[in-house]
Amino acid sequence: MVKKLTQGFWAATARIILRNRILILVLIIGVTVLLGLQWKNMRFSNTEANVLPDDHPETVQYNAFVNLFGQEDNAIVLAVRDSLLFLPENFNRWNKLSKQFEAIPEIDFVISTDNLKELVKDKEKEEFVLRPLITETPETKEAVQAIKNQLFNNMPFYENLIFKKESGTVRTVIYMDKDILNTSVRNEFILIDLENLVENFEEETGLDVRVSGMPYIRTWNSKIIIDEIGNFILAALLVTSIIFFFFFRSFRATFISMCVVIIGVMWAFGVLGLFKYEITILTALIPPLIIVIGIPNCIFLINKYQQEVKKHGNQALSLQRVISKIGNATLMTNVTTASGFATFIILDSDLLKEFGIVASINILCIFLLSLLIIPIVYSFMPVPQDKHLKHLNKKWIDLFVSWMERMVRHHRIGVYITSVIVLVMSIIGIYQIKITGSRIEDLPKDAKFFQDIRFFEEEFDGIMPVEVVVDSKQKNGILKPATLRRMNELGDEINETPELSKPVSVVNLVKYSKQAFYNGIPKYYQLPTSQENTFIMDVARKSSENGNLLESFVDSTGQTARITTFMRDVKTQRMEEIEQDLLVSISKIFPSERYNVYMTGKALLFLKGTKYLVKNLLISLALAIGLISLFMAYLFRSFRMIIISLVPNLLPLVITAGLMGYLGVPIKPSTILVFSIAFGISVDDTIHFLAKYRQELIANKWQIKKSVYNALRETGVSMFYTSIVLFFGFSVFIISSFGGTQALGGLVSATLLFAMLANLILLPSLLLSLERSIANKTVLKKPQIDILPTDDENSNLK
């Protein structure tokens, strides 16, 4: 009953499409225009997506920190490591640069040699005051040297903040207005104002300025993503059109297919705008994905049309059969592909959820567009001539099919042995895979801003902020000597960790206060003793400037303080070790009954997010396998057929995972995506082959061997065509500057190539080896849906 309804549905669909050609084209144009109007709602992401859900404990802690102290990643740092900086003209130009930044509305404040303040004791008023380090513009080398000596030798408070004594590096820290930190205004400032000011400084002085900081990195990330979208689309169109033309040798067929996928890309942008989703590093991949996935639809439809024309020359009948006979198969394969992407929707990560929604919707849209446009456009064109059909008789394709048939017919044992050896080697490789949460690993290695990141890691031990929040559980509890000593002890622990920078907290300010109390002598830069504490803190409390300085380190009640450090780019395992070591130190130093202390910051948030994402993506992959297994069960109504169909699709995933282990490609969000995407696409070939196999069994009165070989010959060509298109189509992502996108493209391409070989060699071999049990207990049952036609005349799908 279901079978008859399905056949009737597709026959009716074919009549509706061909009888309403003009109306359908007008509707497609109308929808394209409407979605085009939504482009104005598209915007590129200016924020860093938090993959953890809002109610995750780590997110809750981070938000609590932000509410107390504001975002910690609003600093841009500029640095120069060159002794020529201390020539008077260069030094004054450096100070002028900081003044130029201070004058820009997007900047809250700037800390540099130009405006450094020295904490000194006013003996008459018995309070601390901040005195400018530079009181007048230095005109001579001696004057600049005096400033340098004072800063480097007598002001340890600013060490690793403004200067590094060993290398002579000097830096300026620019704090952006937090209100515009995640807006396009940030990008305009960094890409225009900052770049111009730095470039002018370098031209005038000949000095090399290094620039970094999280706002700077995020801005350049966004710019590269924007630049790469166009490159991806053009590269995907170029590669797929060349391959398509090579297969069909027809400008007309190539042009029609390109029109279909270009409209699909326009719809993809429209859907992004309609949902008001931001364009991120993932959603930027969707337009080229639509091209790569859409071209195989065109191949199946155009190939079938040309085969029908070659058989009987009746254009109207050929077009009707293209829709009624191929439409169902194409729908099934697109549904499985969309299912692979749709599994991301269940994840708590907005980044992946939006990617899954838009990708799955547009995969179904590109199916609809190809099913409508190709038959309608061909209906207005003359019947293809013999020269347009020559590609159907390519000798090299026959050689390829013959090789596959020979392997299945004569070398099945070799196929199994090879498969087992590859499986075992792959499993060994899997045990070598590492999980990484590196924040900068995927960034373009040849970009200047990446080289600058490495510079700041070398000079100042990292740029990724880690915060320790100390809650003393009582008002003004932070400034008590016991609490300060505990914070200082934890600071020493942090300082001894090579991957962490020297910490900055209220402890540094208290030490500076003692140094100022003792007339600025550097050896007194230390915490006051119990005897000194009373009168030094009394002086500090009288100092209004000190109160302003405290705002950066302590909340308004004096109950909670922050200890800020920065982390180098380290692997996930080492990052976890550092976190555990610090947590052990925290529990030892701060009794839980008196203090509430926790770690947070973007570096740790990224670590937790990576692990959370990997776990959820594995769940997504399992769900994709489960969904597609249910789909296969519905089609073939057999548990054995599910197992048979999963083997050639899971083996390529295992092989790819093994290769990742051997090649040192870590598991991270960008690479774990590979498996769900590749599985959803590769199972299409399995569906085509098994559907054709069952059809041949019926036509050949259950002669199993003949049916397997016929199915192999009939579907091998189309599977080869589509796999090659997908292989080279996904390979375009290798041109990306981002390591994660490169890995995604290369790994998906490799997986699909392995899947093609598994479906064309391993799957037929399994069917032949298990022929009696499979044929008698499985395919004799009528499927719920006939994917392919059962009549001999129309059964040829290549």
Side-chain angles (χ1 to χ4, degrees), residues 494-548:
I494 293 171
N495 206 25
E496 290 174 5
T497 305
E499 295 86 356
L500 295 176
S501 69
K502 184 178 177 181
V504 179
S505 70
V506 65
V507 171
N508 300 73
L509 186 57
V510 173
K511 289 180 177 180
Y512 198 16
S513 298
K514 179 176 177 178
Q515 181 189 355
F517 186 84
Y518 286 103
N519 301 317
I521 301 173
K523 72 175 184 178
Y524 290 106
Y525 183 75
Q526 56 187 246
L527 281 178
T529 64
S530 299
Q531 295 173 332
E532 296 168 328
N533 189 74
T534 302
F535 51 86
I536 288 178
M537 295 310 292
D538 282 344
V539 174
R541 288 187 185 95
K542 295 178 184 177
S543 311
S544 57
E545 293 92 345
N546 243 359
N548 292 333

Side-chain angles (χ1 to χ4, degrees), residues 281-300:
I281 193 168
L282 281 184
T283 52
L285 302 178
I286 292 176
L289 276 175
I290 296 305
I291 296 171
V292 173
I293 294 171
I295 287 295
N297 291 340
C298 300
I299 288 176
F300 275 105

